[in-house]
Amino acid sequence: MNKNKDNCKLWGGRFDNATSSLVEEFTQSLDYDRYLYLHDIAGSMAHARMLARQGVLTPEESREIVDGLKQVQKEIQDGEFSWRVVLEDVHMNIENRLTEIVGSVGQKLHTGRSRNDQVALDFRMFVVESLALWQKEIRNIIESLVIQAKTNQKTILPGYTHLQPAQPVSLAHHLLAYVQMFKRDFERASEAIKRTRVSPLGAAALAGTTYPLDPEMAAEEIGFENVFENSMDAVSDRDFALEALFVCSMIMVHLSRMCEEIIIWSNPAFGFIKLPEAYATGSSIMPQKKNPDVAELIRGKTGSVFGRLISLLTTMKALPLAYNRDMQEDKGPFIDAHRTVVNSLKVMSGMIREISFDAEAMGSALKKGYLNATEMADYLTSKGVPFRQAHNITGRAVAYAEKKGVGLEDLDFEELRGFSDKVSEDIFLILDYNQAVRRRKTQGGTGPESVAKQIEKAVVWLNETESR
Ligand code: ARG
């Protein structure tokens, strides 16, 4: 008996022989697309209602279908639904069960629709929801950063370039740099959402349909503002998913850079932070260890997210129009990346909130590396020494202090004056690390006014995005 024909397979009509079970296993997409069941059901309800309003189905038929779909949804939610690999994907599993429940009227649901526009719609809904969830988690991270920034405006630490001591900065300023990155990620997600909220329903297999469908109405039912303009594009483009995967990758880049700093800062040689015990792990052999595994894992998982972006880019790169089965390989990478970024964002925002910063350790680090050398050069310049000469004079003072094993501020007045007769007593004020930060009053600099303004703006942004 050919089980393809005995109405189990929704496309069985033209086949004489059964599908190989190996092929059934190989071609199924349930492992991933079952997570789209809510979207599939919502899309089907919208389609059924639209069909009724267009007179393709009677209102009674549409109601029966919608009620049947509600029951399917409940069965899935209650764990009572049996997913069947022979039915290939989420779409046919749901439609098959619907027909078992409501009888032959269920077979009318697919009128004027193809799995090609159906899957594109489901996936778009899933991607929009994912992007919105990332945004929520990004807001939490920003909130955590702002909380820490507020209490650390006066904490000073070495700012680095090339990971070498450069100039002192306020810890708040350092943390607020990440606020900027995550705000951009948030905005990128908003942009991506806008382009993803375009309904492909009504494109059918690839060419549109002969039924008098109203794609606008279906889109409205789903809550998408826009409708496809070209049916071939609607069923074959996945750039919305790629764009979201790029947004996701960018978030991971930012998380990973922050992780790198957490790892460095928690090393006892730096000692800038104490990791909360809830976010650290120990070693099975070395009793003293407190490892920053959470940060390391986020940094590590970043690679796998990039991989997912590249994987889908590669899948799409040479596909002719319109739908190709290759495109079934879109959901796996996306869903994996989605889970990774959500978990990473969650764990990171919790960790940031509980990190304790060691201002004293940061203060002693300031004493190593001549972070006030630029101050001395600028000081001499302000007294009329051309900057290049001032740079050179200060360089010689640094070399001298280094030989003595002390900081510039530890040299006595006569020693400093030995390098230039422009040096007077006020030089010590200039060499003070806190002063160096305070004097950076320019827009977006590390000075206290700029930092306070950044915090204020971030708080306004948090309030605005909360109400969105
Ligand atoms: N499981 C398929 C996918 O995820 C659904 C669309 C199948 N369409 C088709 N014409 N075979 O892409």
Side-chain angles (χ1 to χ4, degrees):
M1 171 75 158
N2 175 4
K3 62 177 177 171
N4 287 348
K5 262 204 171 39
D6 73 0
N7 89 16
C8 156
K9 287 248 187 331
L10 301 179
W11 42 254
R14 65 102 66 226
F15 286 79
D16 287 327
N17 298 307
T19 319
S20 139
S21 55
L22 249 178
V23 169
E24 278 176 347
E25 187 50 51
F26 187 73
T27 54
Q28 60 96 12
S29 51
L30 278 176
D31 292 346
Y32 280 106
D33 66 19
R34 68 169 69 188
Y35 299 105
L36 273 58
Y37 78 91
L38 279 175
H39 315 86
D40 193 68
I41 289 172
S44 288
M45 286 180 176
H47 184 64
R49 291 190 177 116
M50 181 273 294
L51 288 178
R53 266 181 272 170
Q54 296 302 100
V56 180
L57 294 182
T58 67
E60 183 50 28
E61 286 172 330
S62 161
R63 219 170 302 125
E64 279 175 50
I65 288 173
V66 169
D67 288 347
L69 286 167
K70 281 183 190 157
Q71 189 178 325
V72 176
Q73 180 170 329
K74 187 167 180 324
E75 287 178 6
I76 299 174
Q77 274 161 341
D78 295 348
E80 283 159 8
F81 190 90
S82 47
W83 296 98
R84 294 170 63 195
V85 165
V86 279
L87 291 173
E88 221 173 289
D89 55 27
V90 64
H91 322 293
M92 295 201 286
N93 266 269
I94 288 175
E95 192 186 320
N96 190 269
R97 179 71 191 124
L98 170 72
T99 304
E100 280 174 11
I101 295 168
V102 301
S104 61
V105 64
Q107 296 179 330
K108 294 191 175 185
L109 170 62
H110 213 50
T111 311
R113 186 176 70 167
S114 153
R115 269 186 300 156
N116 298 348
D117 56 345
Q118 185 178 2
V119 72
L121 173 68
D122 295 359
F123 196 24
R124 277 177 180 271
M125 286 196 269
F126 187 86
V127 170
V128 167
E129 228 173 75
S130 307
L131 284 159
L133 186 58
W134 305 349
Q135 286 187 308
K136 182 176 152 249
E137 297 302 338
I138 289 172
R139 262 196 89 259
N140 283 341
I141 284 225
I142 293 183
E143 208 163 57
S144 304
L145 287 165
V146 170
I147 290 170
Q148 289 285 14
K150 274 183 184 164
T151 53
N152 284 294
Q153 295 178 66
K154 292 202 174 114
T155 312
I156 311 286
L157 81 162
Y160 299 93
T161 62
H162 315 264
L163 200 56
Q164 300 295 321
Q167 290 173 349
V169 292
S170 126
L171 174 57
H173 193 57
H174 193 124
L175 298 174
L176 289 162
Y178 285 101
V179 168
Q180 295 298 323
M181 298 175 224
F182 288 122
K183 262 175 68 180
R184 287 195 295 276
D185 291 334
F186 187 100
E187 299 305 337
R188 261 189 283 276
S190 296
E191 287 289 313
I193 286 174
K194 217 164 55 196
R195 275 186 285 279
T196 309
R197 288 174 55 140
V198 178
S199 173
L201 203 57
L206 76 162
T209 173
T210 53
Y211 297 95
L213 302 190
D214 184 349
E216 307 265 352
M217 193 186 287
E220 209 175 295
E221 279 272 347
I222 292 147
F224 281 11
E225 303 93 345
N226 293 306
V227 169
F228 70 98
E229 286 182 23
N230 179 300
S231 60
M232 295 183 80
D233 175 50
V235 292
S236 68
D237 112 74
R238 292 293 182 270
D239 48 11
F240 63 90
L242 286 167
E243 196 174 350
L245 277 170
F246 173 74
V247 173
C248 187
S249 300
M250 206 59 237
I251 296 169
M252 292 302 294
V253 170
H254 292 150
L255 284 175
S256 185
R257 294 188 71 178
M258 198 146 119
C259 286
E260 178 73 9
E261 301 207 297
I262 288 172
I263 292 161
I264 293 171
W265 289 2
S266 65
N267 180 305
F270 278 73
F272 291 1
I273 58 174
K274 276 193 193 52
L275 286 175
E277 293 200 348
Y279 290 86
T281 56
S283 156
S284 57
I285 174 169
M286 296 166 282
Q288 85 283 11
K289 294 277 266 179
K290 189 174 158 197
N291 293 330
D293 299 43
V294 170
E296 292 169 89
L297 277 170
I298 295 175
R299 190 177 59 180
K301 285 170 192 285
T302 300
S304 83
V305 171
F306 294 178
R308 262 96 194 190
L309 168 63
I310 298 296
S311 132
L312 186 54
L313 280 169
T314 312
T315 296
M316 295 304 297
K317 82 177 230 310
L319 294 186
L321 296 184
Y323 178 84
N324 298 271
R325 192 63 179 269
D326 314 45
M327 287 156 67
Q328 181 168 294
E329 295 300 305
D330 56 0
K331 286 167 286 295
F334 185 83
I335 291 172
D336 289 339
H338 167 63
R339 287 177 183 155
T340 303
V341 77
V342 169
N343 291 336
S344 302
L345 283 166
K346 276 201 171 122
V347 80
M348 186 59 129
S349 81
M351 183 158 68
I352 296 167
R353 263 170 223 240
E354 290 185 38
I355 282 178
S356 65
F357 292 96
D358 189 335
E360 218 169 291
M362 293 178 180
S364 17
L366 283 171
K367 301 275 291 170
K368 294 171 225 150
Y370 302 94
L371 290 110
N372 49 4
T374 312
E375 306 315 299
M376 180 166 167
D378 285 344
Y379 168 83
L380 294 172
T381 306
S382 75
K383 304 245 161 160
V385 182
F387 182 75
R388 282 293 156 225
Q389 274 178 43
H391 187 288
N392 189 275
I393 293 166
T394 309
R396 282 188 283 121
V398 166
Y400 174 83
E402 202 172 41
K403 259 186 221 124
K404 277 190 84 176
V406 297
L408 285 174
E409 67 279 15
D410 302 317
L411 298 175
D412 58 37
F413 176 64
E414 287 310 323
E415 284 175 299
L416 283 167
R417 198 171 159 81
F419 293 98
S420 165
D421 58 8
K422 299 282 190 231
V423 169
S424 44
E425 286 284 355
D426 58 354
I427 179 96
F428 291 104
L429 213 67
I430 293 299
L431 292 176
D432 179 80
Y433 298 101
N434 287 298
Q435 283 295 334
V437 170
R438 253 176 256 141
R439 290 169 58 236
R440 284 183 162 59
K441 292 179 194 293
T442 46
Q443 147 82 19
T446 191
E449 299 85 0
S450 154
V451 167
K453 200 161 117 191
Q454 290 178 58
I455 291 174
E456 205 181 292
K457 278 186 143 181
V459 170
V460 169
W461 184 87
L462 281 168
N463 291 336
E464 271 174 16
T465 47
E466 188 171 32
S467 55
R468 249 188 237 171

